[in-house]
Amino acid sequence: MMNSEHTGGCLCGNVTFKVTGSLRDVIGCHCGQCRKQTGLHYAATQTADEALHVTDRGHLTWYRSSDNAKRGFCGKCGSALFWKHDDDPHTSILAGSFDEPSNLKLTCHIFVGDKGDFYEIADDLPQFPQSGRP
């Protein structure tokens, strides 16, 4: 986990955020929902809800993607930004939405059993068939 201040936002700038606490290392998620939303896979970090400060100019939209989780995106430009489980006091943030330098690091891949058939995972990072990250 890295601890410092990080900023980011959507493509059009109508949803911005600042993280003032710890960030988990980045995890690549290859599940079907993440692929459908982004066209490839999610690469997301995570922070405690109280460390995430969002500025929204009326465009942050939440989509209920399952019975227990939702996905946040900009309703104007469509940028995927957040993933939030109902029972978790943390929010996942897409790594690509951070301003650079982010100093984030991809550390593993999850749900590789659902990976799309059109690409290969070409790094040597650990891969988990489901969410079974240690």
Side-chain angles (χ1 to χ4, degrees), residues 3-42:
N3 201 0
S4 63
E5 186 172 290
H6 288 80
T7 59
C10 68
L11 187 61
C12 70
N14 279 292
V15 181
T16 59
F17 61 84
K18 178 170 51 170
V19 176
T20 57
S22 297
L23 289 172
R24 181 199 67 206
D25 286 331
V26 175
I27 295 174
C29 181
H30 299 265
C31 78
Q33 284 189 5
C34 287
R35 286 188 295 106
K36 290 274 187 184
Q37 187 180 33
T38 65
L40 187 57
H41 60 83
Y42 253 41

Side-chain angles (χ1 to χ4, degrees), residues 42-60:
Y42 253 41
T45 182
Q46 188 179 70
T47 193
D49 290 343
E50 64 267 10
L52 176 61
H53 311 280
V54 177
T55 301
D56 172 22
R57 296 186 181 131
H59 293 284
L60 179 59

Side-chain angles (χ1 to χ4, degrees), residues 43-125:
T45 182
Q46 188 179 70
T47 193
D49 290 343
E50 64 267 10
L52 176 61
H53 311 280
V54 177
T55 301
D56 172 22
R57 296 186 181 131
H59 293 284
L60 179 59
T61 302
W62 288 95
Y63 169 69
R64 170 89 27 210
S65 56
S66 69
D67 291 341
N68 55 9
K70 59 187 178 180
R71 295 169 182 269
F73 64 96
C74 176
K76 183 172 183 180
C77 68
S79 295
L81 298 166
F82 309 113
W83 182 87
K84 175 78 177 139
H85 191 281
D86 294 340
D87 299 327
D88 190 345
H90 298 84
T91 298
S92 292
I93 308 167
L94 270 73
S97 64
F98 282 91
D99 298 327
E100 293 186 345
S102 71
N103 297 313
L104 296 169
K105 182 179 177 182
L106 184 67
T107 57
C108 72
H109 300 273
I110 61 173
F111 288 101
V112 297
D114 296 341
K115 182 186 83 54
D117 62 358
F118 62 94
Y119 67 96
E120 296 300 322
I121 300 172
D123 58 43
D124 293 328
L125 297 174

